[in-house]
Each structure stands twice: as C-alpha cells, then as structure tokens.
Amino acid sequence: MARGWISSRPVVLAVAVVAVAVIGVGMYLFQPWKLWQDETVQEALPSTAATAPTVPPPSGTSSTSPPAQPEPRTVSTGQLISHEHTTTGTVKIVRLADGSHTLRLENLDTSNGPDLHVWLTDAPVKEGKAGWEVFDDGKYVSLGKLKGNKGDQNYVLPADVDLSQYTSVSIWCDRFNVSFGAAALAKA
C-alpha cells in the first residue's frame, strides 16, 4: 500500500502543477474579478478640444470681447445594444466649437472586462450573436481604452477621420475579439 502511494506521488504533483498553471493563465486572460468591479466616469462635454490660454490685452489698449463661439452640436447619435454583455447607453458624435469632433458615451452601463476599447467602425450593427465579431472585419479606428464601464465619457476623434466612412461604434474587447455592445450611428 505504501509503495502505491509513493509511485503515484509524482503523478499527483505533476497534475497539481498543471492545474495551478491552467488556473493562473485563466485568471490572467479572463480577469473574472472585473465582473464585480465597476468604474464610473462622469466627464462633462468639452466646449473645445483644447482651450488656449487667455492673454490679457497690453496695458493702454481697450479690451474687446472675443466673438461668441458656436455651441457644440451633435452630428450623429445612436443607442447601444447588447452583444456579449448587457450594454446600454447613448453614443453621440459632437462637433465642438473649434471644429474638432468628440465621440461621447452617455449613461453607459456595461460589464467591466479585460482590454476594452472604443471603436468607430464601418460595420453594420447586428442583433444577437451575429453581431459579436463583425467589427474587426472592415475599417475601424480605436479611440482608446474604455475609461470606465459606467457613466459619461468623451473620446477625441482624430482630425483625419472621415466621418462619412464610419457608421457604428463598438465597445470592443481586444483580448477576445468580441463586441460587448454597439450602436448604429444616424445623422442628428
């Protein structure tokens, strides 16, 4: 009996080492603790992409008020639908007073996850599982990592992006190549 235990010890040890390695890799890839961690972001809509510092007029000159800047204007909008994870909120592309554009997520509510990004894409938004993996098939622009899985947040659009070429937005998980949620954009 003792002999059987001694001969099976290396096998048990090898199985234990493999199990720990598999669990470690799984924890790294899936980061399951994020399912219970929410990151809320509450950003105000900027009026311009970057504000220039105000310089006082030289002494002895009269101060005239600068011309009124146009208000930010929503040029397209859409409602997020759920894909891999339940996702809700509004997506807006806003033209700021200085002519630059910002993508704004309002009332976003989705699951937290590993390696989430905001993508502007040319892919059609499809309901259900059919829409989970289409956003990396065509053209897309990554606007950066998702700042938080809840709240209001802004993403600056690069100046060279031709908005007429992009029709949707996806909350994209780079690690697993799947959309958490997406919105079709319509002119406002």
Side-chain angles (χ1 to χ4, degrees):
M1 178 121 139
R3 183 172 213 176
W5 166 247
I6 292 172
S7 65
S8 69
R9 235 163 129 190
V11 172
V12 170
L13 185 60
V15 168
V17 167
V18 169
V20 167
V22 167
I23 290 170
V25 168
M27 295 291 279
Y28 170 77
L29 288 176
F30 289 95
Q31 298 176 0
W33 57 88
K34 285 195 170 188
L35 290 173
W36 296 279
Q37 295 175 334
D38 288 330
E39 291 182 50
T40 301
V41 174
Q42 294 297 335
E43 292 181 330
L45 178 65
S47 57
T48 59
T51 18
T54 56
V55 178
S59 60
T61 61
S62 64
S63 163
T64 58
S65 51
Q69 293 288 326
E71 292 292 316
R73 184 176 65 84
T74 300
V75 295
S76 58
T77 187
Q79 292 298 311
L80 287 164
I81 65 165
S82 300
H83 281 146
E84 172 69 19
H85 292 266
T86 302
T87 302
T88 59
T90 302
V91 176
K92 293 180 179 179
I93 294 183
V94 180
R95 185 173 198 272
L96 302 177
D98 65 0
S100 65
H101 290 87
T102 293
L103 185 136
R104 180 160 173 83
L105 300 175
E106 293 182 343
N107 301 313
L108 174 66
D109 189 0
T110 190
S111 298
N112 204 341
D115 210 15
L116 296 179
H117 293 260
V118 178
W119 280 12
L120 183 63
T121 79
D122 67 349
V125 175
K126 299 176 183 177
E127 296 273 345
K129 192 166 171 67
W132 287 14
E133 299 170 345
V134 300
F135 296 99
D136 60 349
D137 294 343
K139 290 187 338 186
Y140 64 88
V141 176
S142 177
L143 302 178
K145 285 193 167 274
L146 186 68
K147 297 174 185 177
N149 64 309
K150 296 186 180 297
D152 302 336
Q153 45 205 278
N154 305 307
Y155 298 86
V156 175
L157 294 176
D160 62 347
V161 170
D162 178 1
L163 291 175
S164 68
Q165 301 295 308
Y166 299 94
T167 58
S168 61
V169 172
S170 173
I171 307 300
W172 184 259
C173 179
D174 261 354
R175 174 125 345 123
F176 295 105
N177 292 322
V178 68
S179 174
F180 272 35
L185 295 171
K187 292 200 183 292

PDB file of all heavy atoms in Angstrom, residues 95-127:
ATOM      1  N   ARG A  95     -19.707  67.885 -32.750  1.00  0.00           N
ATOM      2  CA  ARG A  95     -18.787  68.863 -33.335  1.00  0.00           C
ATOM      3  C   ARG A  95     -18.631  69.984 -32.320  1.00  0.00           C
ATOM      4  O   ARG A  95     -19.591  70.639 -31.944  1.00  0.00           O
ATOM      5  CB  ARG A  95     -19.329  69.404 -34.649  1.00  0.00           C
ATOM      6  CG  ARG A  95     -18.352  70.329 -35.356  1.00  0.00           C
ATOM      7  CD  ARG A  95     -18.891  70.704 -36.739  1.00  0.00           C
ATOM      8  NE  ARG A  95     -17.848  71.219 -37.570  1.00  0.00           N
ATOM      9  CZ  ARG A  95     -17.498  72.494 -37.623  1.00  0.00           C
ATOM     10  NH1 ARG A  95     -18.120  73.384 -36.876  1.00  0.00           N
ATOM     11  NH2 ARG A  95     -16.533  72.888 -38.431  1.00  0.00           N
ATOM     12  N   LEU A  96     -17.394  70.181 -31.865  1.00  0.00           N
ATOM     13  CA  LEU A  96     -17.119  71.203 -30.857  1.00  0.00           C
ATOM     14  C   LEU A  96     -16.961  72.574 -31.501  1.00  0.00           C
ATOM     15  O   LEU A  96     -16.859  72.694 -32.720  1.00  0.00           O
ATOM     16  CB  LEU A  96     -15.870  70.827 -30.063  1.00  0.00           C
ATOM     17  CG  LEU A  96     -15.938  69.465 -29.354  1.00  0.00           C
ATOM     18  CD1 LEU A  96     -14.623  69.159 -28.653  1.00  0.00           C
ATOM     19  CD2 LEU A  96     -17.094  69.418 -28.373  1.00  0.00           C
ATOM     20  N   ALA A  97     -16.939  73.602 -30.686  1.00  0.00           N
ATOM     21  CA  ALA A  97     -16.880  74.984 -31.160  1.00  0.00           C
ATOM     22  C   ALA A  97     -15.667  75.238 -32.050  1.00  0.00           C
ATOM     23  O   ALA A  97     -15.729  76.048 -32.971  1.00  0.00           O
ATOM     24  CB  ALA A  97     -16.875  75.941 -29.971  1.00  0.00           C
ATOM     25  N   ASP A  98     -14.572  74.552 -31.825  1.00  0.00           N
ATOM     26  CA  ASP A  98     -13.363  74.779 -32.625  1.00  0.00           C
ATOM     27  C   ASP A  98     -13.327  73.938 -33.904  1.00  0.00           C
ATOM     28  O   ASP A  98     -12.341  73.949 -34.632  1.00  0.00           O
ATOM     29  CB  ASP A  98     -12.112  74.532 -31.787  1.00  0.00           C
ATOM     30  CG  ASP A  98     -11.975  73.075 -31.337  1.00  0.00           C
ATOM     31  OD1 ASP A  98     -12.845  72.241 -31.672  1.00  0.00           O
ATOM     32  OD2 ASP A  98     -10.993  72.764 -30.639  1.00  0.00           O
ATOM     33  N   GLY A  99     -14.401  73.181 -34.180  1.00  0.00           N
ATOM     34  CA  GLY A  99     -14.472  72.376 -35.393  1.00  0.00           C
ATOM     35  C   GLY A  99     -14.018  70.937 -35.213  1.00  0.00           C
ATOM     36  O   GLY A  99     -14.211  70.112 -36.105  1.00  0.00           O
ATOM     37  N   SER A 100     -13.413  70.610 -34.088  1.00  0.00           N
ATOM     38  CA  SER A 100     -12.991  69.231 -33.832  1.00  0.00           C
ATOM     39  C   SER A 100     -14.213  68.390 -33.440  1.00  0.00           C
ATOM     40  O   SER A 100     -15.284  68.926 -33.167  1.00  0.00           O
ATOM     41  CB  SER A 100     -11.938  69.192 -32.724  1.00  0.00           C
ATOM     42  OG  SER A 100     -12.503  69.623 -31.500  1.00  0.00           O
ATOM     43  N   HIS A 101     -14.026  67.070 -33.441  1.00  0.00           N
ATOM     44  CA  HIS A 101     -15.122  66.159 -33.100  1.00  0.00           C
ATOM     45  C   HIS A 101     -14.748  65.281 -31.916  1.00  0.00           C
ATOM     46  O   HIS A 101     -13.597  64.877 -31.769  1.00  0.00           O
ATOM     47  CB  HIS A 101     -15.472  65.271 -34.294  1.00  0.00           C
ATOM     48  CG  HIS A 101     -16.130  66.010 -35.403  1.00  0.00           C
ATOM     49  ND1 HIS A 101     -15.413  66.641 -36.398  1.00  0.00           N
ATOM     50  CD2 HIS A 101     -17.435  66.240 -35.670  1.00  0.00           C
ATOM     51  CE1 HIS A 101     -16.253  67.216 -37.239  1.00  0.00           C
ATOM     52  NE2 HIS A 101     -17.486  66.987 -36.821  1.00  0.00           N
ATOM     53  N   THR A 102     -15.746  64.986 -31.107  1.00  0.00           N
ATOM     54  CA  THR A 102     -15.598  64.108 -29.948  1.00  0.00           C
ATOM     55  C   THR A 102     -16.689  63.058 -29.994  1.00  0.00           C
ATOM     56  O   THR A 102     -17.841  63.361 -30.320  1.00  0.00           O
ATOM     57  CB  THR A 102     -15.725  64.923 -28.636  1.00  0.00           C
ATOM     58  OG1 THR A 102     -14.607  65.799 -28.537  1.00  0.00           O
ATOM     59  CG2 THR A 102     -15.761  64.038 -27.418  1.00  0.00           C
ATOM     60  N   LEU A 103     -16.312  61.821 -29.697  1.00  0.00           N
ATOM     61  CA  LEU A 103     -17.311  60.778 -29.520  1.00  0.00           C
ATOM     62  C   LEU A 103     -17.660  60.760 -28.033  1.00  0.00           C
ATOM     63  O   LEU A 103     -16.761  60.720 -27.198  1.00  0.00           O
ATOM     64  CB  LEU A 103     -16.769  59.411 -29.949  1.00  0.00           C
ATOM     65  CG  LEU A 103     -17.825  58.310 -29.894  1.00  0.00           C
ATOM     66  CD1 LEU A 103     -17.738  57.449 -31.137  1.00  0.00           C
ATOM     67  CD2 LEU A 103     -17.679  57.464 -28.660  1.00  0.00           C
ATOM     68  N   ARG A 104     -18.937  60.826 -27.726  1.00  0.00           N
ATOM     69  CA  ARG A 104     -19.394  60.882 -26.334  1.00  0.00           C
ATOM     70  C   ARG A 104     -20.279  59.680 -26.036  1.00  0.00           C
ATOM     71  O   ARG A 104     -21.206  59.372 -26.778  1.00  0.00           O
ATOM     72  CB  ARG A 104     -20.160  62.177 -26.093  1.00  0.00           C
ATOM     73  CG  ARG A 104     -20.668  62.307 -24.673  1.00  0.00           C
ATOM     74  CD  ARG A 104     -20.968  63.754 -24.338  1.00  0.00           C
ATOM     75  NE  ARG A 104     -21.610  63.894 -23.045  1.00  0.00           N
ATOM     76  CZ  ARG A 104     -20.969  63.918 -21.894  1.00  0.00           C
ATOM     77  NH1 ARG A 104     -19.664  63.805 -21.859  1.00  0.00           N
ATOM     78  NH2 ARG A 104     -21.634  64.066 -20.760  1.00  0.00           N
ATOM     79  N   LEU A 105     -19.967  58.996 -24.933  1.00  0.00           N
ATOM     80  CA  LEU A 105     -20.820  57.938 -24.409  1.00  0.00           C
ATOM     81  C   LEU A 105     -21.581  58.524 -23.229  1.00  0.00           C
ATOM     82  O   LEU A 105     -20.961  59.077 -22.318  1.00  0.00           O
ATOM     83  CB  LEU A 105     -19.982  56.746 -23.940  1.00  0.00           C
ATOM     84  CG  LEU A 105     -19.114  56.066 -24.993  1.00  0.00           C
ATOM     85  CD1 LEU A 105     -18.253  54.983 -24.352  1.00  0.00           C
ATOM     86  CD2 LEU A 105     -19.961  55.484 -26.103  1.00  0.00           C
ATOM     87  N   GLU A 106     -22.904  58.442 -23.253  1.00  0.00           N
ATOM     88  CA  GLU A 106     -23.724  58.958 -22.163  1.00  0.00           C
ATOM     89  C   GLU A 106     -24.522  57.823 -21.543  1.00  0.00           C
ATOM     90  O   GLU A 106     -25.075  56.976 -22.250  1.00  0.00           O
ATOM     91  CB  GLU A 106     -24.673  60.055 -22.659  1.00  0.00           C
ATOM     92  CG  GLU A 106     -23.942  61.305 -23.097  1.00  0.00           C
ATOM     93  CD  GLU A 106     -24.880  62.412 -23.548  1.00  0.00           C
ATOM     94  OE1 GLU A 106     -26.070  62.147 -23.843  1.00  0.00           O
ATOM     95  OE2 GLU A 106     -24.405  63.567 -23.621  1.00  0.00           O
ATOM     96  N   ASN A 107     -24.579  57.838 -20.218  1.00  0.00           N
ATOM     97  CA  ASN A 107     -25.322  56.827 -19.459  1.00  0.00           C
ATOM     98  C   ASN A 107     -24.880  55.410 -19.815  1.00  0.00           C
ATOM     99  O   ASN A 107     -25.703  54.486 -19.830  1.00  0.00           O
ATOM    100  CB  ASN A 107     -26.831  56.981 -19.651  1.00  0.00           C
ATOM    101  CG  ASN A 107     -27.310  58.337 -19.210  1.00  0.00           C
ATOM    102  OD1 ASN A 107     -26.954  58.813 -18.141  1.00  0.00           O
ATOM    103  ND2 ASN A 107     -28.093  58.997 -20.046  1.00  0.00           N
ATOM    104  N   LEU A 108     -23.596  55.242 -20.102  1.00  0.00           N
ATOM    105  CA  LEU A 108     -23.072  53.916 -20.432  1.00  0.00           C
ATOM    106  C   LEU A 108     -23.237  52.990 -19.232  1.00  0.00           C
ATOM    107  O   LEU A 108     -22.978  53.374 -18.095  1.00  0.00           O
ATOM    108  CB  LEU A 108     -21.581  54.009 -20.798  1.00  0.00           C
ATOM    109  CG  LEU A 108     -20.878  52.662 -21.021  1.00  0.00           C
ATOM    110  CD1 LEU A 108     -21.444  51.961 -22.253  1.00  0.00           C
ATOM    111  CD2 LEU A 108     -19.382  52.858 -21.155  1.00  0.00           C
ATOM    112  N   ASP A 109     -23.665  51.789 -19.517  1.00  0.00           N
ATOM    113  CA  ASP A 109     -23.753  50.748 -18.494  1.00  0.00           C
ATOM    114  C   ASP A 109     -23.451  49.418 -19.176  1.00  0.00           C
ATOM    115  O   ASP A 109     -24.234  48.933 -19.988  1.00  0.00           O
ATOM    116  CB  ASP A 109     -25.141  50.727 -17.856  1.00  0.00           C
ATOM    117  CG  ASP A 109     -25.219  49.804 -16.640  1.00  0.00           C
ATOM    118  OD1 ASP A 109     -24.193  49.178 -16.296  1.00  0.00           O
ATOM    119  OD2 ASP A 109     -26.296  49.723 -16.041  1.00  0.00           O
ATOM    120  N   THR A 110     -22.270  48.867 -18.877  1.00  0.00           N
ATOM    121  CA  THR A 110     -21.870  47.582 -19.429  1.00  0.00           C
ATOM    122  C   THR A 110     -21.046  46.855 -18.379  1.00  0.00           C
ATOM    123  O   THR A 110     -20.768  47.403 -17.313  1.00  0.00           O
ATOM    124  CB  THR A 110     -21.074  47.745 -20.748  1.00  0.00           C
ATOM    125  OG1 THR A 110     -20.909  46.456 -21.362  1.00  0.00           O
ATOM    126  CG2 THR A 110     -19.722  48.391 -20.534  1.00  0.00           C
ATOM    127  N   SER A 111     -20.660  45.641 -18.684  1.00  0.00           N
ATOM    128  CA  SER A 111     -19.789  44.896 -17.777  1.00  0.00           C
ATOM    129  C   SER A 111     -18.367  45.414 -17.921  1.00  0.00           C
ATOM    130  O   SER A 111     -17.970  45.879 -18.986  1.00  0.00           O
ATOM    131  CB  SER A 111     -19.797  43.407 -18.142  1.00  0.00           C
ATOM    132  OG  SER A 111     -21.076  42.878 -18.001  1.00  0.00           O
ATOM    133  N   ASN A 112     -17.614  45.297 -16.862  1.00  0.00           N
ATOM    134  CA  ASN A 112     -16.195  45.595 -16.931  1.00  0.00           C
ATOM    135  C   ASN A 112     -15.529  44.362 -17.529  1.00  0.00           C
ATOM    136  O   ASN A 112     -16.054  43.261 -17.451  1.00  0.00           O
ATOM    137  CB  ASN A 112     -15.648  45.892 -15.538  1.00  0.00           C
ATOM    138  CG  ASN A 112     -14.411  46.734 -15.557  1.00  0.00           C
ATOM    139  OD1 ASN A 112     -13.723  46.842 -16.572  1.00  0.00           O
ATOM    140  ND2 ASN A 112     -14.110  47.350 -14.437  1.00  0.00           N
ATOM    141  N   GLY A 113     -14.401  44.525 -18.131  1.00  0.00           N
ATOM    142  CA  GLY A 113     -13.729  43.382 -18.717  1.00  0.00           C
ATOM    143  C   GLY A 113     -12.295  43.712 -19.072  1.00  0.00           C
ATOM    144  O   GLY A 113     -11.879  44.862 -19.007  1.00  0.00           O
ATOM    145  N   PRO A 114     -11.560  42.707 -19.486  1.00  0.00           N
ATOM    146  CA  PRO A 114     -10.167  42.938 -19.840  1.00  0.00           C
ATOM    147  C   PRO A 114     -10.032  43.576 -21.226  1.00  0.00           C
ATOM    148  O   PRO A 114     -10.730  43.191 -22.158  1.00  0.00           O
ATOM    149  CB  PRO A 114      -9.575  41.525 -19.839  1.00  0.00           C
ATOM    150  CG  PRO A 114     -10.717  40.636 -20.190  1.00  0.00           C
ATOM    151  CD  PRO A 114     -11.938  41.300 -19.596  1.00  0.00           C
ATOM    152  N   ASP A 115      -9.199  44.575 -21.336  1.00  0.00           N
ATOM    153  CA  ASP A 115      -8.773  45.125 -22.624  1.00  0.00           C
ATOM    154  C   ASP A 115      -9.930  45.667 -23.469  1.00  0.00           C
ATOM    155  O   ASP A 115     -10.028  45.374 -24.658  1.00  0.00           O
ATOM    156  CB  ASP A 115      -7.996  44.047 -23.384  1.00  0.00           C
ATOM    157  CG  ASP A 115      -6.946  44.641 -24.309  1.00  0.00           C
ATOM    158  OD1 ASP A 115      -6.625  45.839 -24.165  1.00  0.00           O
ATOM    159  OD2 ASP A 115      -6.455  43.908 -25.184  1.00  0.00           O
ATOM    160  N   LEU A 116     -10.813  46.460 -22.856  1.00  0.00           N
ATOM    161  CA  LEU A 116     -11.940  47.053 -23.585  1.00  0.00           C
ATOM    162  C   LEU A 116     -11.525  48.356 -24.247  1.00  0.00           C
ATOM    163  O   LEU A 116     -10.828  49.179 -23.646  1.00  0.00           O
ATOM    164  CB  LEU A 116     -13.114  47.306 -22.640  1.00  0.00           C
ATOM    165  CG  LEU A 116     -13.745  46.072 -22.016  1.00  0.00           C
ATOM    166  CD1 LEU A 116     -14.887  46.470 -21.085  1.00  0.00           C
ATOM    167  CD2 LEU A 116     -14.224  45.105 -23.078  1.00  0.00           C
ATOM    168  N   HIS A 117     -11.985  48.545 -25.485  1.00  0.00           N
ATOM    169  CA  HIS A 117     -11.668  49.741 -26.264  1.00  0.00           C
ATOM    170  C   HIS A 117     -12.944  50.295 -26.877  1.00  0.00           C
ATOM    171  O   HIS A 117     -13.937  49.581 -27.034  1.00  0.00           O
ATOM    172  CB  HIS A 117     -10.678  49.408 -27.385  1.00  0.00           C
ATOM    173  CG  HIS A 117      -9.325  49.025 -26.869  1.00  0.00           C
ATOM    174  ND1 HIS A 117      -8.275  49.894 -26.832  1.00  0.00           N
ATOM    175  CD2 HIS A 117      -8.871  47.875 -26.342  1.00  0.00           C
ATOM    176  CE1 HIS A 117      -7.214  49.292 -26.322  1.00  0.00           C
ATOM    177  NE2 HIS A 117      -7.558  48.056 -26.000  1.00  0.00           N
ATOM    178  N   VAL A 118     -12.891  51.566 -27.288  1.00  0.00           N
ATOM    179  CA  VAL A 118     -13.995  52.197 -28.010  1.00  0.00           C
ATOM    180  C   VAL A 118     -13.562  52.286 -29.466  1.00  0.00           C
ATOM    181  O   VAL A 118     -12.522  52.874 -29.771  1.00  0.00           O
ATOM    182  CB  VAL A 118     -14.301  53.603 -27.445  1.00  0.00           C
ATOM    183  CG1 VAL A 118     -15.411  54.262 -28.240  1.00  0.00           C
ATOM    184  CG2 VAL A 118     -14.675  53.511 -25.976  1.00  0.00           C
ATOM    185  N   TRP A 119     -14.347  51.678 -30.345  1.00  0.00           N
ATOM    186  CA  TRP A 119     -14.032  51.661 -31.772  1.00  0.00           C
ATOM    187  C   TRP A 119     -15.102  52.382 -32.572  1.00  0.00           C
ATOM    188  O   TRP A 119     -16.294  52.164 -32.374  1.00  0.00           O
ATOM    189  CB  TRP A 119     -13.968  50.233 -32.286  1.00  0.00           C
ATOM    190  CG  TRP A 119     -12.710  49.490 -32.007  1.00  0.00           C
ATOM    191  CD1 TRP A 119     -11.699  49.842 -31.159  1.00  0.00           C
ATOM    192  CD2 TRP A 119     -12.331  48.241 -32.570  1.00  0.00           C
ATOM    193  NE1 TRP A 119     -10.717  48.891 -31.166  1.00  0.00           N
ATOM    194  CE2 TRP A 119     -11.082  47.889 -32.029  1.00  0.00           C
ATOM    195  CE3 TRP A 119     -12.922  47.381 -33.477  1.00  0.00           C
ATOM    196  CZ2 TRP A 119     -10.410  46.723 -32.375  1.00  0.00           C
ATOM    197  CZ3 TRP A 119     -12.265  46.212 -33.812  1.00  0.00           C
ATOM    198  CH2 TRP A 119     -11.020  45.894 -33.270  1.00  0.00           C
ATOM    199  N   LEU A 120     -14.673  53.204 -33.503  1.00  0.00           N
ATOM    200  CA  LEU A 120     -15.526  53.784 -34.534  1.00  0.00           C
ATOM    201  C   LEU A 120     -15.319  52.889 -35.751  1.00  0.00           C
ATOM    202  O   LEU A 120     -14.172  52.652 -36.162  1.00  0.00           O
ATOM    203  CB  LEU A 120     -15.075  55.219 -34.815  1.00  0.00           C
ATOM    204  CG  LEU A 120     -15.871  56.042 -35.812  1.00  0.00           C
ATOM    205  CD1 LEU A 120     -17.302  56.250 -35.303  1.00  0.00           C
ATOM    206  CD2 LEU A 120     -15.199  57.381 -36.037  1.00  0.00           C
ATOM    207  N   THR A 121     -16.405  52.332 -36.336  1.00  0.00           N
ATOM    208  CA  THR A 121     -16.259  51.309 -37.374  1.00  0.00           C
ATOM    209  C   THR A 121     -17.182  51.561 -38.565  1.00  0.00           C
ATOM    210  O   THR A 121     -18.100  52.383 -38.492  1.00  0.00           O
ATOM    211  CB  THR A 121     -16.580  49.896 -36.822  1.00  0.00           C
ATOM    212  OG1 THR A 121     -17.990  49.723 -36.767  1.00  0.00           O
ATOM    213  CG2 THR A 121     -15.969  49.668 -35.463  1.00  0.00           C
ATOM    214  N   ASP A 122     -16.934  50.796 -39.622  1.00  0.00           N
ATOM    215  CA  ASP A 122     -17.820  50.845 -40.786  1.00  0.00           C
ATOM    216  C   ASP A 122     -18.742  49.630 -40.834  1.00  0.00           C
ATOM    217  O   ASP A 122     -19.469  49.423 -41.801  1.00  0.00           O
ATOM    218  CB  ASP A 122     -17.014  50.958 -42.083  1.00  0.00           C
ATOM    219  CG  ASP A 122     -16.193  49.717 -42.402  1.00  0.00           C
ATOM    220  OD1 ASP A 122     -16.054  48.822 -41.534  1.00  0.00           O
ATOM    221  OD2 ASP A 122     -15.662  49.635 -43.525  1.00  0.00           O
ATOM    222  N   ALA A 123     -18.719  48.794 -39.796  1.00  0.00           N
ATOM    223  CA  ALA A 123     -19.506  47.556 -39.782  1.00  0.00           C
ATOM    224  C   ALA A 123     -20.969  47.827 -39.439  1.00  0.00           C
ATOM    225  O   ALA A 123     -21.271  48.722 -38.641  1.00  0.00           O
ATOM    226  CB  ALA A 123     -18.922  46.576 -38.768  1.00  0.00           C
ATOM    227  N   PRO A 124     -21.867  47.029 -40.022  1.00  0.00           N
ATOM    228  CA  PRO A 124     -23.275  47.160 -39.644  1.00  0.00           C
ATOM    229  C   PRO A 124     -23.487  46.590 -38.241  1.00  0.00           C
ATOM    230  O   PRO A 124     -22.821  45.637 -37.848  1.00  0.00           O
ATOM    231  CB  PRO A 124     -24.006  46.317 -40.693  1.00  0.00           C
ATOM    232  CG  PRO A 124     -22.986  45.308 -41.133  1.00  0.00           C
ATOM    233  CD  PRO A 124     -21.641  45.985 -41.025  1.00  0.00           C
ATOM    234  N   VAL A 125     -24.399  47.177 -37.513  1.00  0.00           N
ATOM    235  CA  VAL A 125     -24.728  46.675 -36.176  1.00  0.00           C
ATOM    236  C   VAL A 125     -25.804  45.607 -36.336  1.00  0.00           C
ATOM    237  O   VAL A 125     -26.867  45.870 -36.899  1.00  0.00           O
ATOM    238  CB  VAL A 125     -25.204  47.812 -35.243  1.00  0.00           C
ATOM    239  CG1 VAL A 125     -25.655  47.265 -33.901  1.00  0.00           C
ATOM    240  CG2 VAL A 125     -24.097  48.839 -35.067  1.00  0.00           C
ATOM    241  N   LYS A 126     -25.499  44.412 -35.863  1.00  0.00           N
ATOM    242  CA  LYS A 126     -26.428  43.288 -35.953  1.00  0.00           C
ATOM    243  C   LYS A 126     -26.826  42.859 -34.553  1.00  0.00           C
ATOM    244  O   LYS A 126     -26.001  42.837 -33.651  1.00  0.00           O
ATOM    245  CB  LYS A 126     -25.763  42.101 -36.672  1.00  0.00           C
ATOM    246  CG  LYS A 126     -25.334  42.401 -38.090  1.00  0.00           C
ATOM    247  CD  LYS A 126     -24.616  41.211 -38.691  1.00  0.00           C
ATOM    248  CE  LYS A 126     -24.119  41.513 -40.077  1.00  0.00           C
ATOM    249  NZ  LYS A 126     -23.354  40.382 -40.628  1.00  0.00           N
ATOM    250  N   GLU A 127     -28.078  42.484 -34.403  1.00  0.00           N
ATOM    251  CA  GLU A 127     -28.586  41.996 -33.121  1.00  0.00           C
ATOM    252  C   GLU A 127     -28.023  40.611 -32.819  1.00  0.00           C
ATOM    253  O   GLU A 127     -27.714  39.848 -33.725  1.00  0.00           O
ATOM    254  CB  GLU A 127     -30.120  41.896 -33.158  1.00  0.00           C
ATOM    255  CG  GLU A 127     -30.828  43.210 -33.330  1.00  0.00           C
ATOM    256  CD  GLU A 127     -31.088  43.928 -32.028  1.00  0.00           C
ATOM    257  OE1 GLU A 127     -30.987  43.303 -30.956  1.00  0.00           O
ATOM    258  OE2 GLU A 127     -31.375  45.131 -32.087  1.00  0.00           O
TER     259      GLU A 127
END
